[in-house]
Amino acid sequence: VQVLTILYFAISITELMMELFAYRPAIYFLKPLIPVVLMVLYYCTSESRNLLFFAALLLSAVTNVLFIETEPNMLHAVITFTLHRICIVVFILKLIRLRDFIPLMIGVLPFLLIFFYLLMNSEVPENSMAVMVIQNILISIMGGVAVSNYIMADNRANSWLLISVLLFVALQVIVFIERYYLANLSPIVLRPIAMALNVFAFYTFYEFVVASERQSDLNRTTV
């Protein structure tokens, strides 16, 4: 597990360097490799080995490849990314077993306001608008779940979930700004920042999943 964790971050740092130098051959190899290593790490760590985790990470690997280019695969990348987010939301809801929807609704509202404000004040292509609306709803649900759960029960799993989701929120904001606000400028620094957020968001998500599964096993043993 320690070796795989070191390998995960070593590959991630190398990929970030390749992003800075815009060396495409290495990026095409390393970018999808990052979620693959995390899948192996989860397989070695978890006893549950939930298929939703593998599905989410596999879709992430495909999305990483599609997002390397800007225009040709853009719609396919957005659709794959949306499916990936659906897997994550379903998996989170399955792990936390949400019972009270009122705190969730309160937590979702600020995220909806932020993301729909960005959407309404940007030039999103018409063929991507519906998918972007779905993405905004999904990331808002993730944010609402993470914040409400952390406030109601400050435990290890919920702490990891909050950190992970906040990183995912920051990632979506940066990707949105890069694609739709600064499409003609494409600052070179945004790609490495987005990739760094992606790396840490998924690692903390992995920690949340493992902590949740262990807590669930412990509760079953206690009962």
Side-chain angles (χ1 to χ4, degrees), residues 56-203:
L57 269 291
L58 183 61
L59 288 169
S60 174
V62 175
T63 305
N64 284 348
V65 173
L66 294 176
F67 266 120
I68 293 173
E69 301 295 338
T70 52
E71 291 301 327
N73 299 316
M74 187 59 191
L75 183 58
H76 295 143
V78 171
I79 293 172
T80 308
F81 185 65
T82 303
L83 293 174
H84 150 73
R85 278 287 162 82
I86 291 172
C87 282
I88 288 183
V89 170
V90 171
F91 193 25
I92 290 173
L93 293 176
K94 182 180 178 181
L95 287 173
I96 64 173
R97 298 174 184 177
L98 192 67
R99 294 181 178 86
D100 191 351
F101 288 92
I102 294 177
L104 171 62
M105 293 171 63
I106 295 172
V108 164
L109 282 176
F111 293 99
L112 283 175
L113 290 173
I114 292 169
F115 284 108
F116 276 97
Y117 173 81
L118 290 173
L119 185 63
M120 294 299 105
N121 288 276
S122 61
E123 298 180 359
V124 178
E126 289 186 8
N127 61 349
S128 299
M129 180 62 73
V131 180
M132 291 305 302
V133 168
I134 294 170
Q135 279 194 29
N136 285 349
I137 293 172
L138 290 172
I139 192 67
S140 299
I141 292 172
M142 288 171 62
V145 168
V147 171
S148 60
N149 259 42
Y150 179 78
I151 292 173
M152 294 175 67
D154 180 9
N155 55 36
R156 181 181 177 84
N158 289 340
S159 297
W160 281 119
L161 178 61
L162 181 65
I163 296 169
S164 176
V165 169
L166 290 178
L167 290 169
F168 278 126
V169 168
L171 171 63
Q172 181 143 330
V173 170
I174 286 181
V175 171
F176 193 89
I177 289 172
E178 180 194 8
R179 297 285 171 177
Y180 301 115
Y181 275 88
L182 303 176
N184 297 324
L185 300 176
S186 295
I188 193 171
V189 71
L190 288 182
R191 282 288 180 95
I193 291 175
M195 199 58 208
L197 289 170
N198 186 65
V199 166
F200 284 105
F202 274 110
Y203 184 77

Side-chain angles (χ1 to χ4, degrees), residues 33-65:
L33 187 60
I34 294 171
V36 171
V37 173
L38 197 59
M39 281 192 280
V40 177
L41 180 60
Y42 174 71
Y43 183 86
C44 294
T45 309
S46 172
E47 294 182 0
S48 301
R49 295 169 183 168
N50 197 295
L51 290 178
L52 279 172
F53 185 90
F54 295 107
L57 269 291
L58 183 61
L59 288 169
S60 174
V62 175
T63 305
N64 284 348
V65 173

